[in-house]
Amino acid sequence: MTATAVLQSTSPASRQGAGWTTEALVALFQLPFSDLLFRAQQVHRQHHEANAVQRSTLLSIKTGGCSEDCAYCSQSAHHQAKVEAESLLSLDAVIAAATAARDKGATRFCMGAAWRGPKKKDLAQVTAMVRGVKQLGLETCVTLGILQDGQAEELQQAGLDYYNHNIDTAPEYYGEVITTHSLADRYATLDKVRRAGIKVCCGGIIGMGESRSERAALIAQLANMDPPPESVPINHLVAVRGTPLAEVPPLDPFEFVRTIACARIAMPQSMVRLSAGRDQMSDEMQALCFLAGANSIFYGEKLLTTANAEVGRDEALFARLGLRAI
Ligand code: SAM
Ligand code: DTB
Ligand code: SF4
Protein backbone atom coordinates (compact mmCIF):
# COMPACT_ATOMS: atom_id res chain seq x y z
CA MET A 1 0.00 0.00 0.00
CA THR A 2 1.37 3.45 -0.94
CA ALA A 3 1.77 6.27 1.56
CA THR A 4 -0.96 8.37 -0.11
CA ALA A 5 -3.40 5.47 -0.15
CA VAL A 6 -2.75 4.84 3.54
CA LEU A 7 -3.41 8.43 4.51
CA GLN A 8 -6.57 8.67 2.38
CA SER A 9 -8.07 5.32 3.27
CA THR A 10 -11.18 5.35 5.42
CA SER A 11 -11.14 1.61 5.91
CA PRO A 12 -8.08 0.73 7.95
CA ALA A 13 -9.52 -2.67 8.84
CA SER A 14 -9.33 -3.89 5.27
CA ARG A 15 -5.57 -3.67 5.03
CA GLN A 16 -4.56 -6.91 6.75
CA GLY A 17 -2.13 -8.74 4.49
CA ALA A 18 -2.27 -5.93 1.92
CA GLY A 19 1.48 -5.49 1.64
CA TRP A 20 2.71 -2.68 3.83
CA THR A 21 5.63 -0.62 2.57
CA THR A 22 8.11 1.10 4.84
CA GLU A 23 7.10 4.40 3.19
CA ALA A 24 3.44 3.85 4.08
CA LEU A 25 4.39 3.19 7.69
CA VAL A 26 6.65 6.26 7.76
CA ALA A 27 3.67 8.30 6.53
CA LEU A 28 1.67 7.02 9.51
CA PHE A 29 4.54 7.77 11.89
CA GLN A 30 4.59 11.35 10.59
CA LEU A 31 0.91 12.06 11.27
CA PRO A 32 0.15 14.56 14.03
CA PHE A 33 0.19 12.58 17.27
CA SER A 34 -3.55 12.95 17.96
CA ASP A 35 -4.49 11.94 14.41
CA LEU A 36 -2.33 8.83 14.65
CA LEU A 37 -3.79 7.82 18.01
CA PHE A 38 -7.34 8.48 16.81
CA ARG A 39 -6.80 6.16 13.85
CA ALA A 40 -5.24 3.51 16.03
CA GLN A 41 -8.20 3.70 18.43
CA GLN A 42 -10.64 3.31 15.53
CA VAL A 43 -8.86 0.17 14.34
CA HIS A 44 -8.56 -1.11 17.88
CA ARG A 45 -12.27 -0.74 18.60
CA GLN A 46 -13.27 -2.44 15.35
CA HIS A 47 -11.31 -5.55 16.22
CA HIS A 48 -10.96 -5.79 19.98
CA GLU A 49 -12.81 -5.19 23.20
CA ALA A 50 -11.81 -1.58 23.89
CA ASN A 51 -10.79 -1.85 27.54
CA ALA A 52 -9.62 -5.46 27.86
CA VAL A 53 -5.94 -6.22 28.44
CA GLN A 54 -4.44 -9.72 28.45
CA ARG A 55 -1.77 -10.57 31.04
CA SER A 56 1.14 -13.00 30.57
CA THR A 57 3.73 -13.88 33.19
CA LEU A 58 7.33 -14.59 32.23
CA LEU A 59 9.79 -16.99 33.80
CA SER A 60 13.42 -17.47 32.86
CA ILE A 61 13.83 -21.25 32.93
CA LYS A 62 17.52 -21.11 31.92
CA THR A 63 19.48 -17.95 32.57
CA GLY A 64 22.70 -16.42 31.24
CA GLY A 65 25.77 -17.82 29.48
CA CYS A 66 24.23 -17.58 26.01
CA SER A 67 26.51 -18.14 23.00
CA GLU A 68 24.79 -15.40 20.96
CA ASP A 69 25.91 -11.76 20.86
CA CYS A 70 22.58 -9.85 20.79
CA ALA A 71 23.75 -6.36 21.79
CA TYR A 72 20.75 -5.60 24.01
CA CYS A 73 20.87 -8.81 26.00
CA SER A 74 22.03 -9.19 29.59
CA GLN A 75 22.33 -12.97 29.08
CA SER A 76 24.92 -13.02 26.32
CA ALA A 77 28.27 -14.56 27.26
CA HIS A 78 29.85 -11.94 24.95
CA HIS A 79 28.93 -9.09 27.32
CA GLN A 80 29.72 -8.16 30.92
CA ALA A 81 26.25 -7.73 32.41
CA LYS A 82 25.97 -8.90 36.00
CA VAL A 83 23.53 -11.77 35.62
CA GLU A 84 23.63 -14.87 37.78
CA ALA A 85 23.77 -17.82 35.35
CA GLU A 86 21.37 -20.65 36.17
CA SER A 87 20.94 -24.05 34.51
CA LEU A 88 17.55 -25.37 33.44
CA LEU A 89 15.02 -25.14 36.29
CA SER A 90 13.33 -28.24 37.64
CA LEU A 91 9.79 -29.12 36.63
CA ASP A 92 8.64 -28.54 40.21
CA ALA A 93 10.09 -25.03 40.32
CA VAL A 94 8.38 -24.14 37.05
CA ILE A 95 5.01 -25.50 38.17
CA ALA A 96 5.28 -23.59 41.46
CA ALA A 97 5.98 -20.33 39.59
CA ALA A 98 3.16 -20.95 37.11
CA THR A 99 0.69 -21.71 39.91
CA ALA A 100 1.64 -18.44 41.66
CA ALA A 101 1.23 -16.53 38.37
CA ARG A 102 -2.21 -18.05 37.79
CA ASP A 103 -3.26 -17.20 41.33
CA LYS A 104 -2.28 -13.57 40.72
CA GLY A 105 -4.45 -13.44 37.60
CA ALA A 106 -2.17 -14.23 34.65
CA THR A 107 -3.80 -16.21 31.83
CA ARG A 108 -0.63 -17.13 29.92
CA PHE A 109 2.73 -18.37 31.19
CA CYS A 110 5.79 -17.73 29.05
CA MET A 111 9.03 -19.65 29.67
CA GLY A 112 12.27 -18.22 28.27
CA ALA A 113 15.66 -19.87 27.86
CA ALA A 114 19.01 -18.22 27.10
CA TRP A 115 19.93 -20.62 24.33
CA ARG A 116 20.90 -20.22 20.71
CA GLY A 117 18.41 -23.08 20.44
CA PRO A 118 17.36 -26.14 22.47
CA LYS A 119 19.30 -29.42 22.42
CA LYS A 120 17.34 -32.68 22.16
CA LYS A 121 17.44 -33.45 25.90
CA ASP A 122 16.59 -29.82 26.77
CA LEU A 123 13.49 -30.00 24.64
CA ALA A 124 12.25 -33.13 26.38
CA GLN A 125 12.36 -31.26 29.69
CA VAL A 126 10.65 -28.20 28.23
CA THR A 127 7.81 -30.26 26.75
CA ALA A 128 7.20 -31.71 30.23
CA MET A 129 6.98 -28.13 31.55
CA VAL A 130 4.53 -27.17 28.81
CA ARG A 131 2.30 -30.15 29.67
CA GLY A 132 2.41 -29.30 33.38
CA VAL A 133 1.64 -25.61 32.89
CA LYS A 134 -1.25 -26.41 30.56
CA GLN A 135 -2.73 -28.70 33.19
CA LEU A 136 -3.00 -25.65 35.45
CA GLY A 137 -5.40 -24.14 32.94
CA LEU A 138 -2.92 -21.56 31.64
CA GLU A 139 -2.07 -20.80 28.03
CA THR A 140 1.54 -21.67 27.30
CA CYS A 141 4.31 -19.83 25.49
CA VAL A 142 8.01 -20.61 25.20
CA THR A 143 10.95 -18.72 23.76
CA LEU A 144 13.90 -21.05 23.23
CA GLY A 145 15.74 -19.60 20.24
CA ILE A 146 16.39 -21.27 16.88
CA LEU A 147 14.52 -24.56 16.32
CA GLN A 148 15.75 -27.60 14.39
CA ASP A 149 13.51 -29.74 12.17
CA GLY A 150 10.95 -31.66 14.19
CA GLN A 151 11.27 -29.57 17.37
CA ALA A 152 8.25 -27.37 16.66
CA GLU A 153 6.16 -30.51 16.15
CA GLU A 154 7.32 -31.88 19.52
CA LEU A 155 6.26 -28.64 21.17
CA GLN A 156 2.93 -28.68 19.38
CA GLN A 157 2.27 -32.23 20.55
CA ALA A 158 2.93 -31.13 24.13
CA GLY A 159 0.11 -28.62 23.67
CA LEU A 160 2.15 -25.44 23.25
CA ASP A 161 -0.05 -22.45 22.35
CA TYR A 162 2.52 -19.77 21.36
CA TYR A 163 6.18 -19.67 20.36
CA ASN A 164 7.93 -16.32 20.89
CA HIS A 165 10.72 -15.50 18.48
CA ASN A 166 11.38 -11.85 17.68
CA ILE A 167 12.83 -10.38 14.51
CA ASP A 168 13.94 -7.60 16.87
CA THR A 169 14.63 -4.78 14.40
CA ALA A 170 14.62 -3.70 10.76
CA PRO A 171 16.60 -5.84 8.29
CA GLU A 172 18.83 -2.79 7.62
CA TYR A 173 19.74 -2.47 11.32
CA TYR A 174 19.88 -6.15 12.27
CA GLY A 175 23.65 -6.51 11.64
CA GLU A 176 24.33 -3.67 14.10
CA VAL A 177 22.64 -5.66 16.85
CA ILE A 178 23.28 -9.38 16.23
CA THR A 179 26.09 -11.09 14.30
CA THR A 180 26.02 -14.71 15.54
CA HIS A 181 22.80 -15.62 13.76
CA SER A 182 20.98 -14.01 10.87
CA LEU A 183 17.53 -12.65 10.31
CA ALA A 184 17.06 -15.52 7.83
CA ASP A 185 17.72 -17.97 10.71
CA ARG A 186 14.95 -16.28 12.67
CA TYR A 187 12.52 -16.42 9.73
CA ALA A 188 13.29 -20.12 9.26
CA THR A 189 12.31 -20.81 12.87
CA LEU A 190 9.14 -18.73 12.54
CA ASP A 191 8.26 -20.77 9.48
CA LYS A 192 8.72 -24.05 11.39
CA VAL A 193 6.51 -22.76 14.20
CA ARG A 194 3.75 -21.71 11.81
CA ARG A 195 3.86 -24.99 9.87
CA ALA A 196 3.57 -26.98 13.10
CA GLY A 197 0.32 -25.16 13.89
CA ILE A 198 1.64 -23.16 16.85
CA LYS A 199 0.57 -19.52 17.20
CA VAL A 200 3.34 -17.02 16.51
CA CYS A 201 4.45 -14.37 18.98
CA CYS A 202 6.88 -12.10 17.14
CA GLY A 203 7.89 -8.49 17.61
CA GLY A 204 10.91 -6.34 18.27
CA ILE A 205 12.75 -3.82 20.39
CA ILE A 206 12.42 -0.06 20.05
CA GLY A 207 15.04 2.43 21.25
CA MET A 208 18.23 0.61 20.19
CA GLY A 209 19.46 3.62 18.20
CA GLU A 210 17.48 2.73 15.06
CA SER A 211 15.95 5.47 12.90
CA ARG A 212 12.23 6.15 12.47
CA SER A 213 12.39 4.62 9.03
CA GLU A 214 13.91 1.48 10.57
CA ARG A 215 11.10 1.34 13.14
CA ALA A 216 8.67 1.61 10.23
CA ALA A 217 10.52 -1.17 8.40
CA LEU A 218 10.26 -3.44 11.46
CA ILE A 219 6.49 -2.92 11.63
CA ALA A 220 6.18 -3.50 7.86
CA GLN A 221 8.10 -6.79 8.15
CA LEU A 222 5.81 -7.99 10.93
CA ALA A 223 2.61 -6.85 9.21
CA ASN A 224 3.59 -8.53 5.93
CA MET A 225 4.00 -11.95 7.48
CA ASP A 226 1.24 -14.13 6.11
CA PRO A 227 -0.66 -14.19 8.38
CA PRO A 228 0.75 -11.54 10.74
CA PRO A 229 1.81 -12.86 14.17
CA GLU A 230 -1.11 -13.48 16.51
CA SER A 231 0.87 -11.73 19.23
CA VAL A 232 3.23 -8.79 18.65
CA PRO A 233 5.46 -7.82 21.57
CA ILE A 234 6.78 -4.27 21.28
CA ASN A 235 9.65 -4.07 23.73
CA HIS A 236 11.22 -0.81 24.84
CA LEU A 237 14.95 -1.41 25.19
CA VAL A 238 15.91 -2.02 28.80
CA ALA A 239 19.43 -0.56 28.72
CA VAL A 240 21.41 -3.01 30.83
CA ARG A 241 24.83 -2.02 32.21
CA GLY A 242 27.59 -4.18 30.71
CA THR A 243 25.81 -4.60 27.35
CA PRO A 244 26.90 -2.70 24.20
CA LEU A 245 23.60 -0.79 24.23
CA ALA A 246 23.89 0.40 27.83
CA GLU A 247 24.57 4.00 26.81
CA VAL A 248 22.19 4.36 23.85
CA PRO A 249 20.57 7.84 23.98
CA PRO A 250 17.01 7.66 25.30
CA LEU A 251 14.13 7.58 22.82
CA ASP A 252 11.42 10.27 22.82
CA PRO A 253 8.58 8.49 24.68
CA PHE A 254 6.03 9.72 22.10
CA GLU A 255 7.99 7.88 19.43
CA PHE A 256 7.45 4.64 21.33
CA VAL A 257 3.71 5.37 21.56
CA ARG A 258 3.68 6.09 17.83
CA THR A 259 5.29 2.68 17.20
CA ILE A 260 2.53 0.96 19.17
CA ALA A 261 -0.11 2.89 17.20
CA CYS A 262 1.48 1.93 13.87
CA ALA A 263 1.63 -1.73 14.94
CA ARG A 264 -2.06 -1.60 15.86
CA ILE A 265 -3.07 -0.03 12.53
CA ALA A 266 -0.90 -2.36 10.43
CA MET A 267 -1.94 -5.50 12.35
CA PRO A 268 -5.58 -4.93 13.28
CA GLN A 269 -6.30 -8.46 14.48
CA SER A 270 -3.11 -9.12 16.44
CA MET A 271 -2.69 -8.71 20.14
CA VAL A 272 -0.11 -5.92 20.55
CA ARG A 273 1.88 -6.34 23.73
CA LEU A 274 3.36 -3.44 25.65
CA SER A 275 6.34 -5.56 26.67
CA ALA A 276 9.76 -4.82 28.21
CA GLY A 277 10.42 -1.36 29.61
CA ARG A 278 7.13 -0.78 31.47
CA ASP A 279 8.90 -0.49 34.82
CA GLN A 280 10.65 2.64 33.54
CA MET A 281 7.41 4.15 32.15
CA SER A 282 5.05 6.48 34.00
CA ASP A 283 1.41 5.49 34.41
CA GLU A 284 0.52 8.27 31.95
CA MET A 285 2.89 6.84 29.34
CA GLN A 286 1.38 3.38 29.73
CA ALA A 287 -2.13 4.86 29.40
CA LEU A 288 -1.06 6.42 26.07
CA CYS A 289 0.22 3.01 24.93
CA PHE A 290 -3.18 1.44 25.74
CA LEU A 291 -4.89 4.30 23.90
CA ALA A 292 -2.59 3.57 20.94
CA GLY A 293 -3.89 0.00 20.86
CA ALA A 294 -1.72 -2.10 23.15
CA ASN A 295 -3.91 -4.81 24.66
CA SER A 296 -1.52 -7.18 26.37
CA ILE A 297 1.25 -6.85 28.98
CA PHE A 298 3.81 -8.86 30.89
CA TYR A 299 2.54 -9.18 34.43
CA GLY A 300 4.63 -10.04 37.47
CA GLU A 301 7.61 -8.45 39.22
CA LYS A 302 10.24 -9.79 36.86
CA LEU A 303 10.72 -10.10 33.10
CA LEU A 304 13.59 -12.52 32.40
CA THR A 305 16.50 -10.87 34.21
CA THR A 306 15.25 -7.30 34.71
CA ALA A 307 12.49 -5.77 36.81
CA ASN A 308 8.93 -5.43 35.57
CA ALA A 309 6.22 -3.10 36.93
CA GLU A 310 4.99 -4.37 40.30
CA VAL A 311 1.72 -6.29 40.46
CA GLY A 312 0.23 -3.81 42.97
CA ARG A 313 1.04 -0.91 40.66
CA ASP A 314 -0.57 -2.73 37.72
CA GLU A 315 -3.70 -3.54 39.70
CA ALA A 316 -4.01 0.13 40.69
CA LEU A 317 -3.40 1.28 37.11
CA PHE A 318 -6.05 -1.10 35.72
CA ALA A 319 -8.53 0.23 38.31
CA ARG A 320 -7.70 3.88 37.57
CA LEU A 321 -8.06 3.35 33.81
CA GLY A 322 -11.08 1.05 33.99
CA LEU A 323 -9.20 -1.75 32.25
CA ARG A 324 -10.44 -5.32 32.49
CA ALA A 325 -7.85 -8.09 32.78
CA ILE A 326 -8.41 -11.00 30.39
N1 SAM B 1 17.19 -16.85 23.41
C1 SAM B 1 15.91 -16.74 22.84
C2 SAM B 1 15.85 -15.77 21.69
O1 SAM B 1 16.72 -14.90 21.58
O2 SAM B 1 14.91 -15.87 20.90
C3 SAM B 1 14.82 -16.41 23.85
C4 SAM B 1 15.07 -15.36 24.92
S1 SAM B 1 15.37 -13.70 24.38
C5 SAM B 1 15.88 -12.95 25.88
C6 SAM B 1 13.74 -13.09 23.98
C7 SAM B 1 13.60 -11.65 23.52
O3 SAM B 1 13.68 -10.77 24.62
C8 SAM B 1 14.63 -11.09 22.55
O4 SAM B 1 14.40 -11.50 21.24
C9 SAM B 1 14.41 -9.60 22.71
O5 SAM B 1 13.46 -9.14 21.77
C10 SAM B 1 13.89 -9.46 24.12
N2 SAM B 1 14.86 -8.78 24.98
C11 SAM B 1 15.98 -9.33 25.52
N3 SAM B 1 16.68 -8.42 26.22
C12 SAM B 1 16.00 -7.25 26.13
C13 SAM B 1 16.25 -5.94 26.62
N4 SAM B 1 17.33 -5.64 27.33
N5 SAM B 1 15.33 -4.97 26.34
C14 SAM B 1 14.24 -5.27 25.61
N6 SAM B 1 13.97 -6.49 25.11
C15 SAM B 1 14.84 -7.47 25.35
C1 DTB C 1 9.60 -10.50 24.44
O1 DTB C 1 9.37 -9.98 23.33
N1 DTB C 1 9.96 -9.83 25.54
C2 DTB C 1 10.19 -10.73 26.64
C3 DTB C 1 9.78 -12.09 26.04
N2 DTB C 1 9.54 -11.80 24.68
C4 DTB C 1 10.58 -13.27 26.26
C5 DTB C 1 11.57 -10.63 27.20
C6 DTB C 1 11.94 -9.27 27.68
C7 DTB C 1 13.29 -9.34 28.31
C8 DTB C 1 13.70 -8.04 28.92
C9 DTB C 1 15.07 -8.08 29.46
C10 DTB C 1 15.30 -9.07 30.56
O2 DTB C 1 14.49 -9.12 31.54
O3 DTB C 1 16.31 -9.75 30.51
FE1 SF4 D 1 20.86 -15.41 23.73
FE2 SF4 D 1 18.31 -14.82 23.21
FE3 SF4 D 1 19.83 -13.12 24.67
FE4 SF4 D 1 20.29 -13.39 22.06
S1 SF4 D 1 18.41 -12.60 23.02
S2 SF4 D 1 21.85 -13.39 23.68
S3 SF4 D 1 19.83 -15.56 21.71
S4 SF4 D 1 19.21 -15.17 25.25
Side-chain angles (χ1 to χ4, degrees), residues 60 63-64 73-75 82-84 240 302-307:
S60 181
T63 308
C73 190
S74 61
Q75 306 197 68
K82 284 201 171 61
V83 163
E84 196 90 6
V240 180
K302 211 167 169 198
L303 293 167
L304 292 173
T305 66
T306 65

Side-chain angles (χ1 to χ4, degrees), residues 72 113 115 143 145 165-166 168 186 205 235-238 276 304:
Y72 50 77
W115 288 322
T143 180
H165 199 57
N166 293 336
D168 279 342
R186 289 195 173 243
I205 308 178
N235 295 279
H236 191 298
L237 173 72
V238 180
L304 292 173

Side-chain angles (χ1 to χ4, degrees), residues 122-144:
D122 298 328
L123 198 70
Q125 295 190 61
V126 174
T127 52
M129 293 170 187
V130 169
R131 288 197 167 89
V133 172
K134 255 197 111 70
Q135 274 172 11
L136 298 173
L138 286 161
E139 287 187 310
T140 51
C141 176
V142 297
T143 180
L144 312 173

Side-chain angles (χ1 to χ4, degrees), residues 16 20 48 219 222-223 228-229 232 262-270 272:
Q16 185 113 334
W20 283 88
H48 302 272
I219 302 300
L222 293 166
V232 179
C262 288
R264 166 51 64 227
I265 293 168
M267 291 169 278
Q269 275 148 13
S270 305
V272 174

Side-chain angles (χ1 to χ4, degrees), residues 66 68-70 72-73 75-76 113-116 181 186:
C66 184
E68 303 308 286
D69 70 350
C70 312
Y72 50 77
C73 190
Q75 306 197 68
S76 166
W115 288 322
R116 175 184 167 89
H181 58 269
R186 289 195 173 243

Side-chain angles (χ1 to χ4, degrees), residues 76-99:
S76 166
H78 297 254
H79 317 323
Q80 276 72 49
K82 284 201 171 61
V83 163
E84 196 90 6
E86 220 177 326
S87 52
L88 191 58
L89 294 183
S90 69
L91 179 59
D92 286 353
V94 171
I95 298 304
T99 306

Side-chain angles (χ1 to χ4, degrees), residues 157-169:
Q157 277 152 26
L160 183 70
D161 295 296
Y162 291 83
Y163 193 87
N164 167 246
H165 199 57
N166 293 336
I167 56 171
D168 279 342
T169 193

